[in-house]
Amino acid sequence: DSTTLANGSHIVTAISRDLAENTRRAPPVVIKNNNSATAGITYYIASGVDANGSPTSVVGNDANDGLSPTQIAPGQGPWQTLTNINSHMQTGATFRFRRRDAFTGFIRLGNARNITFSSYYNPNGSDDPSQPRPKITHTGGEKVFSNSCVGTCVPPNNWNLLIENLHLFNPYPASGGGGIGIGSPMINNNAQSPYTIGTYTVRNMEIHGGNVAFILSGGGRFILEDSILHDTWNSTSYVG
């Protein structure tokens, strides 16, 4: 029953047995398990370097499928950068960044519902909170996470979002710079209303915002837990 297995790549070995109890083992094969999007797909990202530029133990590749926490076969392993995330933003998806690793860029959340961004560390995909948070750095005039986009971007009502266990760093000291910005539906970056987000949870985070650490506007429920906020230029991190 593949629904009992995690999405990703698995190694399967078949053993045949005849009436005389002779056995023969077939060579192992790798299969991909991809349950429906409603069940949620988990993608893994491992940059291979830490915030100081020193190598770490797992190096991803953007040519991989992103479905495994470590490299298990050609094309089957974690991604290395944020490049593939925006094109794989789908309802129920989870994106896990490897602890100790450092990344650059920003993420546009798009129209998908019920998205999770979190961390992992161990080869089986489980987490280890004793390790440093993954660090995502963006130095331009856009939040590290935002729902601004080019063209039409209208997240539906009850659009739930969980961001946890990450270190976001955007020192850009003017309008736009910051950690997280979730506003009203955006059409060519202009706010449209009315809009109701569902539940927006930020948990166990460290956020350095050159302009603001986070902005949430348009309504909905906001949960902030066990997080450190650094607002280095403008003290107007807010929920509105």
Side-chain angles (χ1 to χ4, degrees), residues 78-97:
W79 297 326
Q80 186 175 24
T81 72
L82 307 187
T83 300
N84 288 329
I85 293 178
N86 293 330
S87 62
H88 287 75
M89 200 70 65
Q90 57 189 294
T91 294
T94 295
F95 300 89
R96 295 193 179 276
F97 301 86

Side-chain angles (χ1 to χ4, degrees), residues 2 5-8 10 32-37 40-41 43 67 90:
S2 66
L5 298 175
N7 288 317
H10 302 268
K32 290 183 183 179
N33 188 44
N34 188 353
N35 294 312
S36 67
I41 297 178
Y43 297 101
L67 298 176
Q90 57 189 294

Side-chain angles (χ1 to χ4, degrees), residues 8-187:
S9 300
H10 302 268
I11 298 175
V12 176
T13 299
I15 300 175
S16 62
R17 180 178 288 107
D18 62 21
L19 293 176
E21 295 298 322
N22 297 306
T23 62
R24 191 162 197 173
R25 182 185 296 267
V29 296
V30 177
I31 63 170
K32 290 183 183 179
N33 188 44
N34 188 353
N35 294 312
S36 67
T38 56
I41 297 178
T42 298
Y43 297 101
Y44 299 91
I45 308 98
S47 70
V49 294
D50 65 16
N52 297 316
S54 299
T56 57
S57 60
V58 179
V59 182
N61 188 318
D62 286 343
N64 284 336
D65 56 13
L67 298 176
S68 300
T70 59
Q71 194 78 34
I72 63 172
Q76 297 170 352
W79 297 326
Q80 186 175 24
T81 72
L82 307 187
T83 300
N84 288 329
I85 293 178
N86 293 330
S87 62
H88 287 75
M89 200 70 65
Q90 57 189 294
T91 294
T94 295
F95 300 89
R96 295 193 179 276
F97 301 86
R98 190 173 186 275
R99 285 184 182 264
R100 302 192 70 88
D101 286 13
F103 307 86
T104 59
F106 60 89
I107 296 168
R108 289 190 169 116
L109 299 169
N111 297 319
R113 297 172 185 259
N114 305 327
I115 305 298
T116 296
F117 297 90
S118 190
S119 58
Y120 83 100
Y121 185 72
N122 298 311
N124 64 356
S126 62
D127 203 10
D128 182 354
S130 69
Q131 299 296 325
R133 297 179 182 95
K135 183 177 182 180
I136 303 176
T137 299
H138 179 53
T139 57
E142 181 154 4
K143 311 296 186 295
V144 178
F145 286 91
S146 74
N147 69 331
S148 62
C149 53
V150 177
T152 301
C153 176
V154 185
N157 286 339
N158 298 316
W159 179 74
N160 299 314
L161 174 68
L162 169 62
I163 305 177
E164 64 176 3
N165 306 335
L166 304 177
H167 180 186
L168 308 183
F169 185 75
N170 185 350
Y172 191 75
S175 178
I180 304 173
I182 308 297
S184 299
M186 308 297 282
I187 299 178

